[in-house]
Amino acid sequence: MSTESPAPLLQIKGVSHSYGAVRALRDIDLTIADNEFFALLGPSGCGKTTLLRSIAGFETPEAGEVLLDGADLTRLPAHKRPVNMMFQSYALFPHLSVEKNIAYGLEAQGMGKADIRNRVGETIDTVGLAAFAKRRPAQLSGGQRQRVALARAIVKRPRLLLLDEPLSALDRKVRADMQLELKRLQHEVGMTFVVVTHDQEEAMSMADRVAVLNAGAVEQLDTPVGLYSRPRTRFVADFIGTSSMFDGTAVAGGVDVPGLGMLRAAHELAVGTAATLVVRPEDVHLVEPGTGALDGTVIDSYFLGGSSTLSVAVPGRPEPIGCTVHATSTARRGDQVGLRIDHERSVVVVDDRATAAQASA
């Protein structure tokens, strides 16, 4: 499936930026569609916040262009862009009520009082805070304050809303609820959302497409399903979800892994290429010892409700292999088991760590 979006709203062309000797962004190219929920995902220091600030107008990239509806915003000050940004801290005015916080930007624009009242009322209803309109931020829960910040950002009806780690201040349960709420609101208000996060679960649950950044560059741009099931680099395979990584050498029909031998997998890499076989835990199945690709010993089990994840130690491999089984599985710690790997669902990628080491040698 193509990862290119129709009807582009935002185009980022060749954007690069540095802080002294540190390259924060390296020739970034992205196209984001109208009404799309888009996520910039990556570890700390990967450049995602610098890219968001470049879109917002708080940073001016050294090279490249930022286009919105075809208009070049690259040198336009932040306050003149049809873009709003919701910050991680929420930055609510503690002395103002919910409705006054939401109305503040409209009042600053000089909108008439009747129009402000109508717009604020509609927005408060949209985020489900009508019963809290007269309260101040200190009287609200973390999730409610997050909704106020979101309402203040969308009430001005920007073409584009940028969200910087919007849920990081919330506890796990509230964060899960707000992930669904953000997605619902994005569809309801018909606006393009671009969210920055280091939390893969957050990105994968909300976004239509995700750009995974690493060291200032886009490693992969894809749908959440595509990132998980078809990672294109070792970094993406390791960063997204949980997997067992088997490093070795590409051979016909699989990967030759030191200490384990040849593991079957379909791939198109040249024979002799440093390669990594990526296996998700749900694609490893318990079988009788001697009947699978590998044999090992169960060393731990993690109960997850409808399923459990087993850790299986395999001779010749330093790290255990994860295996997801039905909750009724009778496998226990110390049991000898066989492991069958679903080679049709496994993915083989170039081991770019080996390639980089060879290049620097």
Side-chain angles (χ1 to χ4, degrees):
M1 184 175 68
S2 172
T3 59
E4 288 301 315
S5 295
L9 171 72
L10 180 69
Q11 294 173 286
I12 299 166
K13 297 183 175 182
V15 167
S16 297
H17 195 60
S18 298
Y19 298 106
V22 178
R23 292 287 302 279
L25 298 175
R26 302 170 184 266
D27 197 25
I28 300 289
D29 286 306
L30 290 173
T31 298
I32 299 173
D34 199 9
N35 295 332
E36 183 174 19
F37 202 128
F38 193 92
L40 299 171
L41 174 65
S44 297
C46 70
K48 56 188 185 296
T49 297
T50 299
L51 181 56
L52 196 76
R53 290 175 59 84
S54 297
I55 298 169
F58 300 125
E59 295 280 357
T60 301
E62 294 173 337
E65 297 176 309
V66 177
L67 307 177
L68 187 70
D69 277 333
D72 189 353
L73 304 183
T74 313
R75 301 292 183 269
L76 197 66
H79 68 278
K80 293 186 177 181
R81 301 188 182 197
V83 173
N84 253 3
M85 187 164 177
M86 179 177 158
F87 295 96
Q88 184 176 349
S89 64
Y90 305 156
L92 301 178
F93 297 112
H95 63 290
L96 297 182
S97 66
V98 166
E99 59 185 2
K100 288 293 186 181
N101 262 284
I102 297 171
Y104 182 84
L106 300 178
E107 292 172 349
Q109 283 184 332
M111 181 180 284
K113 291 184 178 180
D115 290 335
I116 291 176
R117 187 166 53 251
N118 291 336
R119 181 83 67 84
V120 170
E122 292 172 0
T123 306
I124 286 178
D125 287 340
T126 298
V127 298
L129 288 176
F132 304 92
K134 302 298 182 182
R135 294 191 186 183
R136 293 185 179 182
Q139 299 171 299
L140 304 175
S141 68
Q144 289 165 343
R145 288 195 293 272
Q146 199 264 1
R147 291 176 189 230
V148 177
L150 182 62
R152 189 176 61 183
I154 66 176
V155 74
K156 294 172 68 176
R157 298 178 182 171
R159 295 285 287 123
L160 177 66
L161 178 61
L162 309 176
L163 303 100
D164 185 12
E165 301 277 6
L167 308 181
S168 62
L170 305 178
D171 63 48
R172 185 176 181 85
K173 174 64 170 64
V174 176
R175 188 163 66 244
D177 291 341
M178 286 307 303
Q179 287 170 5
L180 297 175
E181 187 69 6
L182 272 178
K183 186 68 175 175
R184 179 191 70 80
L185 286 170
Q186 188 262 338
H187 280 296
E188 190 165 314
V189 300
M191 191 181 296
T192 300
F193 281 19
V194 177
V195 60
V196 154
T197 180
H198 66 275
D199 186 330
Q200 57 167 285
E201 180 182 327
E202 192 171 290
M204 302 285 273
S205 64
M206 294 190 299
D208 300 312
R209 290 188 306 152
V210 180
V212 179
L213 273 67
N214 179 32
V218 176
E219 285 269 335
Q220 186 170 341
L221 169 61
D222 214 323
T223 63
V225 171
L227 288 173
Y228 184 82
S229 61
R230 298 180 299 277
R232 296 182 198 141
T233 69
R234 194 184 192 284
F235 175 85
V236 172
D238 193 34
F239 190 74
I240 300 294
T242 302
S243 60
S244 294
M245 317 280 277
F246 299 88
D247 299 318
T249 304
V251 295
V255 176
D256 185 22
V257 181
L260 300 179
M262 200 273 274
L263 299 180
R264 293 176 60 200
H267 66 81
E268 298 180 355
L269 300 182
V271 170
T273 301
T276 298
L277 173 64
V278 181
V279 182
R280 300 298 188 185
E282 62 270 22
D283 298 327
V284 181
H285 307 282
L286 291 187
V287 294
E288 290 296 319
T291 64
L294 301 167
D295 290 331
T297 305
V298 177
I299 59 173
D300 219 335
S301 176
Y302 307 92
F303 180 63
L304 300 172
S307 65
S308 293
T309 296
L310 304 181
S311 289
V312 180
V314 172
R317 177 178 168 82
E319 302 89 10
I321 296 172
C323 171
T324 299
V325 298
H326 194 274
T328 58
S329 171
T330 59
R332 297 292 182 266
R333 181 182 298 181
D335 287 354
Q336 300 299 303
V337 297
L339 299 178
R340 178 175 61 82
I341 296 173
D342 189 342
H343 64 272
E344 293 183 353
R345 290 173 55 88
S346 302
V347 175
V348 179
V349 297
V350 173
D351 186 353
D352 41 20
R353 301 170 313 154
T355 304
Q358 291 171 1
S360 62

